[in-house]
């Protein structure tokens, strides 16, 4: 799908979600399709119906900023949806197909930062929702069944969206899977619109549409939310059920990378669960070091 057709799809879906009373339009006649008519959105945006129709049909690109602003207002878009609309509207008439880029990597400083937070689960997520790094507690929280070193190797690197839809352990981890699944697709939509020529992102979306009907249905709805904060509900196999708040931070020099940090409410069951996970991490690290210590003692005799 070209970026121009993505723009048209987004406009059609948001138009279909509006009713005349939502935007102060007096309804008239029998509506054969849901939502507002094209001419009604064009009138609200102050553009011709012909021009707006061409946008929806993917036949017009390089719309001016003022026109996109007017259409965003007419469609009652949220702040995240407005940014997404602008990203889609920057499409070129003929998208470039570039060779695959080198595997993405987290900055060493960002890795040092999250590893300096031993009591805060943290995960670094890349431009295609792949895991670029995690600290020991973040790994234990979200993917303890995977190799802790897997993010360091592009060929085995986990992808959070792929895990959400295709990994049974991840599906069971979230107490509100439907909510998390929509979040995952919303975030991926935001990322995909930032770089329309990313063939690896296109391949990921194609794979997930093919292997997961649930992903395909959500992707077709075109949800868009940046998901920078909120709460996640865990059903963890080791420490039970609890809720953690999350915040997403983006390094200023690498805005397509995101650092996902989890924090519990002080004194809550979630805080005790995180403390138990931290203790498990300590015991596992001690168990790894103990054989080496014994070997060293034996060699000194």
């Amino acid at each position: 799908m070209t970026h121009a057709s993505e723009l048209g799809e987004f406009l059609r879906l948001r138009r279909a979600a509006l009713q005349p009373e939502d935007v102060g339009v007096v309804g008239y006649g029998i509506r054969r399709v849901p939502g507002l008519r094209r001419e009604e959105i064009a009138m609200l945006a102050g553009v011709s119906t012909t021009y707006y129709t061409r946008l929806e049909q993917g036949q017009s690109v390089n719309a001016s900023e003022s026109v996109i602003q007017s259409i965003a207002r007419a469609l009652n878009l949220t702040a995240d949806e407005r940014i997404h609309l602008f990203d889609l509207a920057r499409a070129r008439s003929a998208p470039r197909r570039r060779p695959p880029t080198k595997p993405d990597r987290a900055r060493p400083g960002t890795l040092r930062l999250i590893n300096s937070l031993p009591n805060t689960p943290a995960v670094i997520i890349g431009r295609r929702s792949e895991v670029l790094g995690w600290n020991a507690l973040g790994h234990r929280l979200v993917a303890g069944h995977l190799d802790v070193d897997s993010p360091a190797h592009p060929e085995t690197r986990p992808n959070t969206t792929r895990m959400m839809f295709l990994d049974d352990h991840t599906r069971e981890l979230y107490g509100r899977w439907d909510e998390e699944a929509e979040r995952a697709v919303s975030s991926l939509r935001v990322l995909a619109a930032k770089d329309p020529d990313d063939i690896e992102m296109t391949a990921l979306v194609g794979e997930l549409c093919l292997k997961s009907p649930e992903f395909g249905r959500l992707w077709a709805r075109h949800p868009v939310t940046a998901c920078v904060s909120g709460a996640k509900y865990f059903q963890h196999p080791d420490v039970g059920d609890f809720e953690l708040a999350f915040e997403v931070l983006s390094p200023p020099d690498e805005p397509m990378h995101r650092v996902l940090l989890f924090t519990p409410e002080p004194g809550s069951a979630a805080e005790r669960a995180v403390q138990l996970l931290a203790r498990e991490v300590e015991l596992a690290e001690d168990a790894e070091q103990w054989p080496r210590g014994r070997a060293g003692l034996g060699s000194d005799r």
Side-chain angles (χ1 to χ4, degrees):
M1 181 177 286
T2 67
H3 220 46
S5 61
E6 288 275 340
L7 171 63
E9 175 193 85
F10 183 68
L11 292 173
R12 287 191 299 274
L13 288 170
R14 292 305 180 270
R15 176 170 61 85
L18 286 175
Q19 298 302 317
E21 56 269 22
D22 295 332
V23 292
V25 171
V26 177
Y28 61 90
I30 299 174
R31 293 180 181 269
R32 290 173 290 183
V33 294
L36 294 180
R37 298 183 172 96
R38 285 173 176 164
E39 57 265 31
E40 290 169 335
I41 291 296
M43 177 190 68
L44 290 168
V47 300
S48 72
T49 301
T50 300
Y51 181 73
Y52 178 78
T53 300
R54 287 176 59 81
L55 281 175
E56 277 203 5
Q57 292 176 343
Q59 298 174 1
S60 181
V61 295
N62 300 320
S64 70
E65 183 172 331
S66 60
V67 167
I68 296 302
Q69 284 279 22
S70 297
I71 291 173
R73 285 194 297 269
L75 291 170
N76 277 356
L77 299 184
T78 66
D80 287 340
E81 289 172 336
R82 284 172 183 254
I83 294 171
H84 185 68
L85 178 61
F86 272 96
D87 287 336
L88 293 176
R90 293 188 185 105
R92 290 172 289 276
S93 57
R96 291 181 294 122
R97 305 302 289 176
R98 63 172 185 235
T101 57
K102 293 181 179 179
D104 207 358
R105 294 191 182 279
R107 292 173 60 245
T110 308
L111 289 169
R112 287 195 297 271
L113 172 64
I114 65 170
N115 284 316
S116 73
L117 304 171
N119 298 313
T120 301
V123 181
I124 305 171
I125 301 172
R127 62 183 64 241
R128 303 175 192 93
S129 73
E130 71 274 34
V131 177
L132 300 179
W134 45 31
N135 60 14
L137 191 52
H139 164 253
R140 196 78 174 195
L141 175 67
V142 302
H145 62 295
L146 300 180
D147 185 347
V148 67
D149 294 324
S150 57
H153 309 289
E155 64 275 8
T156 61
R157 183 172 286 164
N159 182 288
T160 58
T161 310
R162 185 183 285 114
M163 289 165 62
M164 182 65 64
F165 288 92
L166 303 181
D167 181 76
D168 290 339
H169 290 85
T170 303
R171 181 181 287 265
E172 293 171 1
L173 179 65
Y174 293 102
R176 298 181 179 177
W177 184 86
D178 291 344
E179 181 179 302
E180 290 301 320
E182 181 156 353
R183 263 187 191 148
V185 174
S186 294
S187 295
L188 199 67
R189 273 289 187 185
V190 171
L191 293 171
K194 299 292 184 186
D195 188 358
D197 300 324
D198 188 340
I199 60 177
E200 293 182 42
M201 174 67 84
T202 301
L204 173 65
V205 171
E207 175 197 353
L208 290 172
C209 285
L210 181 65
K211 294 181 178 179
S212 172
E214 292 160 312
F215 177 89
R217 285 192 293 271
L218 281 170
W219 187 258
R221 284 170 43 196
H222 212 133
V224 178
T225 310
C227 303
V228 296
S229 64
K232 294 181 183 285
Y233 301 85
F234 291 92
Q235 296 177 157
H236 200 278
D238 295 331
V239 293
D241 300 353
F242 54 93
E243 174 186 341
L244 291 177
F246 73 89
E247 296 287 334
V248 176
L249 308 178
S250 294
D253 58 342
E254 187 51 88
M256 293 291 280
H257 289 184
R258 293 158 293 156
V259 181
L260 178 60
L261 301 169
F262 297 92
T263 55
E265 186 73 24
S268 66
E271 184 177 53
R272 292 189 290 275
V274 171
Q275 290 169 348
L276 285 172
L277 283 177
R279 181 58 179 157
E280 288 186 0
V281 168
E282 290 177 5
L283 292 173
E285 290 175 347
D286 288 344
E288 288 180 1
Q289 295 171 5
W290 173 243
R292 292 196 292 271
R294 291 198 59 174
L297 288 171
S299 63
D300 290 341
R301 291 185 178 180

